[in-house]
Amino acid sequence: MPFQPVVLATDGLLFLLLGLIVGAIWRARGSLPVRRAWREVGRSRAGMASATLLLAFLAIGVLDSLHYRPLLKPTQAGDAPVYSAEVLSALDATLANLRARVERTYSAPLATRSYAKETVEGDSGSIAREYPRLQFAGAQLADPDRDRGLDVRERLLTGAGLGLGAGLIACLVLGSIVGRQEHPGWLPRWGAILLGRTAMRWRAAMVTWVGLSVVVGALVAVAPVYHVFGTDKVGQDVLYLTLKSVRTALVIGTLTTLVLLPVALALGVLAGYLGGWVDDVIQYVYTVLNSIPGVLLIAAAVLMMQGLIDRHPDWFSTAAERADARLLALCCILGLTSWTGLARLLRGEALKLRELEYVQAARAFGVSTPRILLRHILPNVMHIVLIAVVMDFSGLVLAEAVLSYVGIGVDPNTISFGTMINAARMELAREPMVWWSLAAAFVFMFVLVLSANLFADAVRDAFDPRRG
């Protein structure tokens, strides 16, 4: 076998969460109110456009979560297979060209020469200070100073054109599938899609998809021969680092939910329904937690976990497993320190629900408390859970960036938006200023967070029972 599959802890949990989401969607098909609410999400142009972008980010994250260890070449015939200690992912294999093209140091976006002057010895033995030519970027050009602009434009236009064609073909396939019941005919169906008169706003999703296809096509055409976003201090391609950061953001934003939800659900619902001393104890717990500065609490917990990991290096067979353990620990810490807001909301909703007539009737007929909680309380607070989880995603992504910036976030070997921004802190102070690492991380994180916020707004408007 040319590789050995590796399942990191965060990989397993991420796929478990995706399975739970798929199961919830399948079960929601049998609930008319839930289907009606999700149709409301689909009627939102912003919701459909942001969902399309989030699916693209999710695809990157899933690819980067399929890990393996490549097989090393045997030194002698008949040797037992030996696998590399380096753990790679399917995204690394897809971006092998970007990953392998490492320059000596900084280079600007789409540049063919280094960003810093170096001492170069001429053919006649003379010494000069100049900007040396990059080893990989623009290597196909005989005269990069003269031909680079034309070559970049041609590649951008060709890639954008191919991306546009691929995007339109995908839209044609999607248009032939959706809306058959509403508009059986091909021409009326496409007329309704183009005019935005379908029940689901497919036009917004298609326009977003076509725009995304154009951008991806342009990147695919240019990235193999140029560094689109330049290179960092050690010559790594910034586009590669930015794409690798997407998985870390998704893991932080989603796996934290697995820790946060059970605690918030259990304590919030029990406090609101049971009341009395149970409510007092739970309120005391989350009041104490809220009184401690969040950053200090997270920093203390992260440093304790880091000390534990450092004292037991034998627990991890590869550096990737060690970095993954710290990432998982950060998810757990964020979840255990951020459940109080959702618990308070669920407590208030449970206080209201326990006074409703059908709950009072169940109690009068002697229905047990666990059965009332499972059958009558929990189903009626799930809209709050869904809204809170979706809206908290962007906050968790930003929290990772801030924590990694101050040095208490993910492992330094883990590529993330926070570690990129932290590395760019010193780059902005040098002369000439290196701005592209920060700009690339900012643009990708901005698009991810904006998409999550827009989708969260659509979900909130659809599931909020107070909507008009």
Side-chain angles (χ1 to χ4, degrees):
M1 195 172 183
F3 62 89
Q4 181 184 58
V6 175
V7 180
L8 301 177
T10 54
D11 296 339
L13 291 174
L14 182 61
F15 287 118
L16 172 63
L17 183 59
L18 291 177
L20 292 175
I21 293 173
V22 171
I25 293 174
W26 181 263
R27 184 170 182 177
R29 296 177 59 192
S31 174
L32 181 61
V34 176
R35 289 206 313 269
R36 186 181 297 118
W38 281 113
R39 287 197 191 100
E40 288 295 325
V41 176
R43 290 190 181 99
S44 168
R45 295 182 180 86
M48 291 294 285
S50 58
T52 305
L53 290 174
L54 289 175
L55 286 176
F57 281 111
L58 180 61
I60 296 173
V62 170
L63 273 179
D64 204 16
S65 297
L66 300 172
H67 288 101
Y68 67 94
R69 295 169 62 182
L71 179 67
L72 298 177
K73 293 182 179 180
T75 56
Q76 296 179 358
D79 287 349
V82 178
Y83 296 95
S84 171
E86 184 180 18
V87 177
L88 303 178
S89 68
L91 184 65
D92 290 319
T94 305
L95 305 176
N97 187 33
L98 297 182
R99 182 172 174 270
R101 295 186 308 121
V102 179
E103 306 289 354
R104 293 183 62 183
T105 184
Y106 296 114
S107 64
L110 300 175
T112 57
R113 294 188 177 275
S114 177
Y115 196 63
K117 284 186 176 182
E118 297 180 12
T119 302
V120 179
E121 183 177 355
D123 296 334
S124 60
S126 60
I127 303 297
R129 294 279 295 173
E130 62 181 37
Y131 299 100
R133 184 170 175 179
L134 297 176
Q135 182 180 358
F136 299 101
Q140 79 283 2
L141 301 176
D143 186 354
D145 296 331
R146 181 193 64 192
D147 301 332
R148 180 181 66 92
L150 179 60
D151 185 59
V152 170
R153 284 193 296 271
E154 289 179 351
R155 290 179 180 274
L156 283 174
L157 291 175
T158 302
L162 292 175
L164 177 62
L168 291 176
I169 291 174
C171 289
L172 287 174
V173 174
L174 179 63
S176 64
I177 298 174
V178 300
R180 287 185 174 181
Q181 295 181 350
E182 274 185 277
H183 308 281
W186 187 88
L187 190 59
R189 185 188 315 151
W190 270 103
I193 290 175
L194 294 177
L195 295 175
R197 295 176 180 172
T198 53
M200 305 279 284
R201 302 304 184 194
W202 293 111
R203 184 179 67 177
M206 290 180 179
V207 170
T208 305
W209 174 255
V210 171
L212 187 62
S213 300
V214 171
V215 173
V216 172
L219 291 176
V220 169
V222 176
V225 291
Y226 294 98
H227 300 293
V228 178
F229 293 144
T231 56
D232 63 1
K233 185 176 182 179
V234 296
Q236 287 185 297
D237 192 280
V238 174
L239 175 60
Y240 168 75
L241 297 176
T242 308
L243 292 174
K244 290 285 290 182
S245 300
V246 171
R247 176 185 180 271
T248 306
L250 292 178
V251 167
I252 292 291
T254 55
L255 293 194
T256 304
T257 305
L258 290 178
V259 181
L260 180 152
L261 272 186
V263 179
L265 265 176
L267 297 183
V269 170
L270 288 175
Y273 181 77
L274 297 179
W277 67 268
V278 175
D279 187 20
D280 294 338
V281 170
I282 294 174
Q283 283 193 75
Y284 179 79
V285 170
Y286 66 62
T287 301
V288 170
L289 279 177
N290 284 336
S291 66
I292 304 173
V295 174
L296 294 180
L297 186 61
I298 293 171
V302 167
L303 293 175
M304 290 174 58
M305 289 301 302
Q306 183 60 36
L308 180 65
I309 292 172
D310 291 340
R311 289 193 299 270
H312 298 86
D314 53 303
W315 289 358
F316 315 103
S317 58
T318 62
E321 292 181 1
R322 175 190 171 94
D324 188 71
R326 180 163 173 175
L327 177 60
L328 180 59
L330 181 61
C331 293
C332 295
I333 292 167
L334 287 174
L336 292 174
T337 56
S338 58
W339 59 268
T340 56
L342 178 57
R344 184 180 285 111
L345 291 174
L346 293 175
R347 173 185 174 273
E349 189 70 11
L351 282 172
K352 181 183 72 175
L353 291 173
R354 75 175 186 178
E355 303 299 331
L356 296 182
E357 293 180 355
Y358 64 89
V359 177
Q360 296 286 350
R363 295 171 67 178
F365 279 104
V367 179
S368 63
T369 297
R371 189 173 181 84
I372 293 176
L373 292 175
L374 293 175
R375 292 292 299 273
H376 301 299
I377 304 297
L378 280 179
N380 288 291
V381 300
M382 292 311 294
H383 67 282
I384 294 179
V385 173
L386 180 61
I387 294 170
V389 166
V390 175
M391 296 190 71
D392 285 347
F393 174 85
S394 57
L396 292 170
V397 173
L398 294 174
E400 182 276 324
V402 173
L403 293 173
S404 297
Y405 175 75
V406 298
I408 56 173
V410 299
D411 189 87
N413 294 323
T414 301
I415 304 173
S416 73
F417 293 127
T419 55
M420 289 184 66
I421 294 172
N422 187 32
R425 176 178 54 179
M426 300 302 296
E427 297 173 352
L428 294 175
R430 75 187 301 272
E431 182 62 36
M433 183 176 63
V434 178
W435 52 267
W436 45 87
S437 294
L438 177 63
F442 173 79
V443 169
F444 271 71
M445 188 167 61
F446 173 77
V447 174
L448 175 60
V449 171
L450 179 63
S451 302
N453 285 338
L454 292 176
F455 187 71
D457 289 342
V459 171
R460 180 195 60 200
D461 294 340
F463 281 86
D464 192 345
R466 293 170 297 181
R467 71 185 189 275

